[in-house]
Amino acid sequence: LNCPSFSISNPDGTSLLAPTTTCSATFYVDTKTLPLTGTYTILMNAASSETGSATFNLFEVPPDIVGDLVIGAAEVPVTLATPGQNANLSFAGTAEQQVTVRVTGNTLGCQTVSLRKPDGGVLVSSTTCNSSVNLPQQVLPLTGTYTVRSDPSGANVGSAAIAVTSP
């Protein structure tokens, strides 16, 4: 099929995913929380008079992995085995402290790694497909609990090791 559109309807007929057109051979919808109990409908609308087929895979996504990091301590390994699952590792930081987030052994393919402030805002973020990456060194703006988030692209699964150093 050439550039079909996809949508998902809730059991009550309202939209869970508005019609989205893709011209890619694969199409991924990130995790959605189902608001109602019942039968959901996936609609694929082919362009013009085309015919063809598609395979749909649905995943029950477990909660995101959570854990603790300590600045300067050993890296923490994380394994994300289900598409849509992320990792959120937290550490205590002090205002004006310099830190670097380091990711090694990445088998997740492409992923977005972000350092989030205590209020949840993003301090720094980078999308990488490399097996190792260091986010740019940061000066923490305030004292509190910071979170390093690993969000694999698309349906990627795998593992990585995450550490925070100073600097």
Side-chain angles (χ1 to χ4, degrees), residues 74-164:
E75 61 193 21
V76 173
V78 295
T79 298
L80 303 172
T82 305
Q85 189 178 33
N86 301 312
N88 296 291
L89 304 178
S90 300
F91 66 93
T94 305
E96 303 302 318
Q97 187 173 20
Q98 295 181 355
V99 298
T100 302
V101 174
R102 302 179 189 281
V103 178
T104 58
N106 174 30
T107 66
L108 292 162
C110 298
Q111 66 173 312
T112 300
V113 178
S114 57
L115 174 58
R116 296 172 181 254
K117 300 181 284 188
D119 67 2
V122 176
L123 187 59
V124 64
S125 179
S126 177
T127 300
T128 180
C129 303
N130 297 329
S131 62
S132 298
V133 66
N134 293 339
L135 292 183
Q137 183 178 337
Q138 299 295 304
V139 175
L140 301 180
L142 52 103
T143 298
T145 302
Y146 289 79
T147 302
V148 177
R149 180 176 180 87
S150 169
D151 181 357
S153 298
N156 291 352
V157 295
S159 62
I162 300 172
V164 178

Side-chain angles (χ1 to χ4, degrees), residues 30-55:
D30 207 353
T31 305
K32 297 282 186 195
T33 299
L34 303 180
L36 302 169
T37 299
T39 301
Y40 287 76
T41 303
I42 299 172
L43 174 66
M44 179 177 75
N45 189 8
S48 66
S49 61
E50 291 183 326
T51 60
S53 64
T55 300

